[in-house]
Amino acid sequence: MKLLVTGGAGYVGSVVAAQLLEAGHEVTVLDNLSTGHRDAVPAGADFVAADLADSATVVTADFDGVLHFAAKSLVGESQQRPELYWRNNVCGSLALLDAMRKAAVRRIVFSSTAATYGEPESVPIDETASTAPTNTYGHSKLAVDRMLGGEALAHGLGAVSLRYFNVAGAHHGFGERHAVETHLIPIALQVATGERDKLVVHGEDWPTPDGTCVRDYIHVADLARAHLLALDACQPWSHRIYNLGNGAGFSVHEVVEAARRVTGHPIPVEVGPRRPGDPAVLVASSERIRAELEWEPAHPEIDVMVADAWQFTRSRT
């Protein structure tokens, strides 16, 4: 198939693009490089430097489908500058859907997020949980999920939204690197490389076994493979939603200990105050995608995720 990967110069998008090429597909990456990296576009993929707003100039009837990753994704920034998130994530996605409709490209896999659920009423979280985002980022992603549902119902689009939690690791030489780093594992590795003096833990008095927050982590290679399965599962007039996660969480302290084992660095920790709005536990139920698409995580071990991320980090230092 000939496929368009929006945001394919970013972390997850680059790994998915690489797996698509490995599977024999023809890939075009659309990315404005505002947060992505030109050298993250896999060899063999065509590259178009453009915004989502310019989708009409890129999407043609030659494409068989779209995998949509292009989005702004910093929760804090989304609260401070919500207009960026409505314009890019929502208006940009609408422009993409308009272009797809005009070109009769009727298959899309969307990179959604567990932030659409907000504060969970129970864990593990499944797809029937109520959606009540607590930030503009989550609201913008939920808006696109709803647009996809309407597009499927009215115009026969075949769409799958994948809602995932924390992504980790590296694959095919592509890994996580952000100008503003907010994720636990890359921050821990930055301490190990000397880029940071310490890691700040946001609260040690949560109602969890060791007092730190618990999160579900998924290896980026497993996540990417789910996108390929979802692409094959797209059916006209249907919008499916799947959660992606390991189904088991790791606490902040457990992740830090994994980073210490992998790097051999002590990784000093300072305990700070809780962050407002942080849930104590976020863990996904992935039973639906396991049952319907036969997806299983091949790399559920936190040490493997950290080790792959560490190898990528060292390759760039």
Side-chain angles (χ1 to χ4, degrees), residues 201-207 211 213 272-278 280:
V201 175
H202 299 288
E204 206 175 35
D205 57 350
W206 297 92
C213 290
R274 292 185 181 188
R275 288 183 300 193
D278 260 357

Side-chain angles (χ1 to χ4, degrees), residues 60-167:
T60 66
D62 294 337
F63 285 101
D64 298 296
V66 174
L67 295 100
H68 179 26
F69 299 91
K72 291 191 173 296
S73 59
L74 296 177
V75 170
E77 182 185 59
S78 78
Q79 296 298 86
Q80 296 162 0
R81 303 185 67 190
E83 67 279 5
L84 296 179
Y85 286 70
W86 297 123
R87 185 178 302 115
N88 186 84
N89 296 5
V90 179
C91 297
S93 295
L94 181 58
L96 176 64
L97 288 173
D98 287 342
M100 290 177 62
R101 193 184 318 110
K102 183 177 180 180
V105 178
R106 310 312 295 144
R107 185 190 307 225
I108 185 171
V109 177
F110 175 53
S111 172
S112 190
T113 173
T116 55
Y117 295 115
E119 296 280 352
E121 297 174 354
S122 61
V123 291
I125 305 167
D126 65 23
E127 294 85 352
T128 65
S130 60
T131 50
T134 58
N135 52 69
T136 303
Y137 166 63
H139 278 291
S140 70
K141 287 286 196 170
L142 181 58
V144 179
D145 278 343
R146 288 174 172 164
M147 282 198 295
L148 293 174
E151 192 79 14
L153 183 63
H155 302 296
L157 181 70
V160 175
S161 292
L162 297 178
R163 292 176 175 168
Y164 36 92
F165 292 69
N166 295 277
V167 187

